């Protein structure tokens, strides 16, 4: 069945063409075909506004922060702190000092593992994670569990890729000390009911870290409304630079934690006998921070807020629905991850074709998708697949690009027929 002709494209909710003009990279051709960039869950592209901001910083504002009274250092410091302020508002944190600049989600989670976990989790204690987690929210906790003699408990999922919340609740006992859960699954797109999960954990006095790497770029995040203790995400998935991300932490949690990295800027005073640590957030920002990247991330959240996170979510949902309806009708194509609440991630397999071959053939058509285990091997094990192909949408994608993807998969099927 030629589904792309039988299914009507929904009316656009959003002027993606106008938005696309902001992204120089989207004008590229790959293998002689217009680039169809559907690997946004791995890393999204950067608009000219963010590129310009980085250039302006590097050409007129750069110096090290916090360390000098000269004019450039003062400008760099105030621009760096202005970026922190933008991030605070982007996630509705109560206070600026609750936003710590890190190198990304992985670094943020490791910070919590070292700063909170190593101080407050001990032998026999239990940490709850979920089957869906990215390796970056598994391995640090496994390292901690090995070091301390603690235990990981894992929330299972159903065949749609939804967490079994009854099972989650049953995992709690008097030894439960911590919960780590992703907001949105990078492998399946499932949006987890984190508000409910956080409330349940808090009723038992257990803090919760949310891995928001796949949520912050796609929906409005309000950390006060969620009431999470920690929320982590990366700049490069959010139209910002690589090498930057944030950890949000409730001030009272951050105050209790030990520093993760030692060095300059994270201290108030140092003698060989004793070091007095700086206040938050600086206690967790040892050494020269990624100043340009933080300022670039500030420009990225300005850009996204200018479009509006609700408008972004609506457009991406329309893309996801349109792609899902078409893929469901394609014989030999199986969607992995069919949760009722999903974000713009579409993982799939094509019968008789290894995902890497799917990715390679799509690339010949100029279509960029990710293939592999998506750093979520437990998810692959749960669905008994070695890997999937994954199309992940951003607000600058179009319905025509969905059509190109569907046509590309048909080409793959023909080649392997
Ligand atoms: N968590 C999730 C859900 C992700 O999708 C990713 C990246 O794909 C990460 C964590 C790790 O992000 P980073 O590599 O930017 O630290």
């Amino acid at each position: 069945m030629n589904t792309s002709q039988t299914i009507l494209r929904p009316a656009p909710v959003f002027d993606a063409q106008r938005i696309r003009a902001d992204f120089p990279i989207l004008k590229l051709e790959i293998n002689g075909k217009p680039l169809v960039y559907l690997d946004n869950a791995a890393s999204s592209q950067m608009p000219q506004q963010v590129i310009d901001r980085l250039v302006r910083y590097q050409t007129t504002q750069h110096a090290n922060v916090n360390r000098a009274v000269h004019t450039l250092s003062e400008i760099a410091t105030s621009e760096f702190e202005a970026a922190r302020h933008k991030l605070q508002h982007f996630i509705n944190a109560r206070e600026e000092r609750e936003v710590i600049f890190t190198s990304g989600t992985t670094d943020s989670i490791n910070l919590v593992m070292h700063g909170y976990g190593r101080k407050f989790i001990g032998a026999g204690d239990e940490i709850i994670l979920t089957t869906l987690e990215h390796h970056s929210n598994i391995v640090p906790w496994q390292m901690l569990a090995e070091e301390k003699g603690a235990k990981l408990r894992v929330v299972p999922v159903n065949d749609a890729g939804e967490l079994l919340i009854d099972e989650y609740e049953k995992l709690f006992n008097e030894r439960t000390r911590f919960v780590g859960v992703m907001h949105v699954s990078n492998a399946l797109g499932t949006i987890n009911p984190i508000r409910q999960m956080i409330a349940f954990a808090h009723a038992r006095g257990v803090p919760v870290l949310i891995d928001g790497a796949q949520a912050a770029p796609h929906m409005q995040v309000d950390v006060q409304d969620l009431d999470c203790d920690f929320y982590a995400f990366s700049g490069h998935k959010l139209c910002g630079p690589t090498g930057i991300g944030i950890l949000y932490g409730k001030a009272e949690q951050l105050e209790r934690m030990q520093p993760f990295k030692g060095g300059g800027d994270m201290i108030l005073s140092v003698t060989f006998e004793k070091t007095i640590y700086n206040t938050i957030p600086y206690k967790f920002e040892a050494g020269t921070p990624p100043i340009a990247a933080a300022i670039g991330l500030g420009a990225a959240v300005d850009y996204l807020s200018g479009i509006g996170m609700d408008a972004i979510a609506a457009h991406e949902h329309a893309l996801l629905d349109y792609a899902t309806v078409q893929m469901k009708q394609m014989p030999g194509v199986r969607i992995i991850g069919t949760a009722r609440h999903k974000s713009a991630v579409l993982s799939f397999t094509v019968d008789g074709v290894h995902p890497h071959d799917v990715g390679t053939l799509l690339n010949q058509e100029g279509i960029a998708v990710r293939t592999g285990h998506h750093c979520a091997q437990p998810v692959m094990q749960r669905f008994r697949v070695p890997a999937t192909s994954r199309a992940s949408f951003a607000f600058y994608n179009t319905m025509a690009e969905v059509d190109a993807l569907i046509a590309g998969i048909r080409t793959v099927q023909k080649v392997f027929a």
Side-chain angles (χ1 to χ4, degrees):
M1 185 174 15
N2 189 347
T3 48
S4 67
Q5 284 169 9
T6 56
I7 294 162
L8 288 179
R9 274 191 205 166
V13 288
F14 191 81
D15 189 355
Q17 285 306 340
R18 188 183 55 75
I19 299 278
R20 290 175 73 80
D22 291 337
F23 291 80
I25 205 166
L26 297 179
K27 298 182 182 78
L28 285 182
E29 291 197 344
I30 301 286
N31 295 321
K33 309 273 170 58
L35 168 65
V36 175
Y37 187 76
L38 301 177
D39 193 18
N40 296 287
S43 206
S44 60
Q45 300 298 350
M46 194 183 274
Q48 191 64 50
Q49 289 83 339
V50 177
I51 298 168
D52 288 347
R53 184 66 191 90
L54 290 170
V55 170
R56 182 157 71 92
Y57 171 74
Q58 292 295 171
T59 50
T60 66
Q61 299 181 315
H62 173 67
N64 210 332
V65 292
N66 300 334
R67 284 176 201 173
V69 292
H70 67 77
T71 302
L72 269 186
S73 178
E74 281 176 0
I75 292 172
T77 305
S78 81
E79 295 299 329
F80 179 68
E81 290 306 326
R84 196 190 307 278
H85 186 72
K86 288 169 201 250
L87 269 300
Q88 176 204 347
H89 286 281
F90 186 63
I91 55 169
N92 194 31
R94 196 172 287 113
E95 301 177 60
E96 247 169 65
R97 64 190 183 123
E98 296 181 316
V99 174
I100 298 161
F101 283 119
T102 66
S103 69
T105 310
T106 305
D107 194 33
S108 298
I109 295 171
N110 276 276
L111 192 165
V112 178
M113 185 280 265
H114 283 274
Y116 184 95
R118 294 184 79 198
K119 187 164 176 189
F120 296 114
I121 296 172
D125 288 345
E126 297 188 2
I127 300 160
I128 297 180
L129 305 174
T130 84
T131 306
L132 296 177
E133 297 314 306
H134 187 279
H135 297 163
S136 63
N137 202 23
I138 299 174
V139 182
W141 302 110
Q142 214 158 32
M143 291 162 82
L144 180 75
E146 271 172 27
E147 177 187 321
K148 298 284 186 176
K151 199 166 157 191
L152 302 185
R153 309 293 306 272
V154 183
V155 186
V157 294
N158 64 20
D159 290 341
E162 295 164 324
L163 295 178
L164 297 176
I165 296 303
D166 289 354
E167 299 299 321
Y168 166 69
E169 295 182 354
K170 278 189 222 151
L171 289 179
F172 280 80
N173 62 41
E174 69 287 349
R175 298 313 304 260
T176 308
R177 293 288 178 268
F178 199 82
V179 173
V181 55
M182 64 194 347
H183 196 163
V184 170
S185 159
N186 62 309
L188 306 182
T190 312
I191 303 176
N192 291 321
I194 56 166
R195 212 162 170 276
Q196 176 190 347
M197 294 172 79
I198 293 164
F200 190 87
H202 283 178
R204 283 142 195 88
V206 178
V208 183
L209 169 131
I210 303 297
D211 170 354
Q214 297 296 341
H218 303 288
M219 60 186 70
Q220 192 72 58
V221 171
D222 182 333
V223 291
Q224 289 190 66
D225 179 59
L226 290 171
D227 197 29
C228 51
D229 298 272
F230 304 101
Y231 197 99
F233 61 89
S234 303
H236 67 96
K237 296 184 197 286
L238 206 138
C239 301
T242 51
I244 187 76
I246 71 151
L247 174 70
Y248 157 81
K250 279 184 181 168
E252 67 261 30
Q253 295 289 18
L254 296 175
E255 299 275 20
R256 303 167 67 209
M257 285 160 58
Q258 62 192 18
F260 168 29
K261 296 170 186 165
D265 278 346
M266 53 77 72
I267 55 90
L268 288 177
S269 71
V270 178
T271 65
F272 278 106
E273 287 68 44
K274 185 164 175 62
T275 290
I276 311 284
Y277 300 133
N278 209 337
T279 52
I280 61 169
Y282 310 109
K283 180 168 88 171
F284 297 107
E285 292 179 353
T288 299
I291 310 164
I295 290 170
L297 180 56
V301 301
D302 276 350
Y303 180 82
L304 293 178
S305 304
I307 297 169
M309 295 311 292
D310 289 342
I312 285 172
H315 177 68
E316 292 176 355
H317 269 105
L319 292 169
L320 179 70
D321 288 349
Y322 182 51
T324 304
V325 169
Q326 298 200 61
M327 246 189 224
K328 271 189 180 159
Q329 299 190 16
M330 295 178 80
V333 176
R334 175 183 166 211
I335 297 176
I336 311 286
T338 50
R340 278 158 296 170
H341 300 292
K342 270 189 74 169
S343 184
V345 168
L346 199 50
S347 260
F348 60 95
T349 56
V350 180
D351 284 354
V353 192
H354 192 279
H356 289 296
D357 293 330
V358 174
T360 305
L361 286 171
L362 289 178
N363 184 53
Q364 285 176 12
E365 303 295 316
I367 304 167
V369 298
R370 183 135 302 237
T371 56
H373 53 61
H374 315 296
C375 296
Q377 286 184 359
V379 177
M380 301 297 118
Q381 288 149 15
R382 166 64 178 79
F383 286 89
R384 296 197 174 82
V385 287
T388 71
S389 303
R390 180 188 70 183
S392 53
F393 303 105
F395 56 94
Y396 43 68
N397 289 125
T398 64
M399 298 294 169
E401 289 182 312
V402 172
D403 290 340
L405 171 68
I406 299 297
I409 297 170
R410 282 212 184 86
T411 305
V412 171
Q413 288 181 310
K414 273 186 209 137
V415 170
F416 279 83

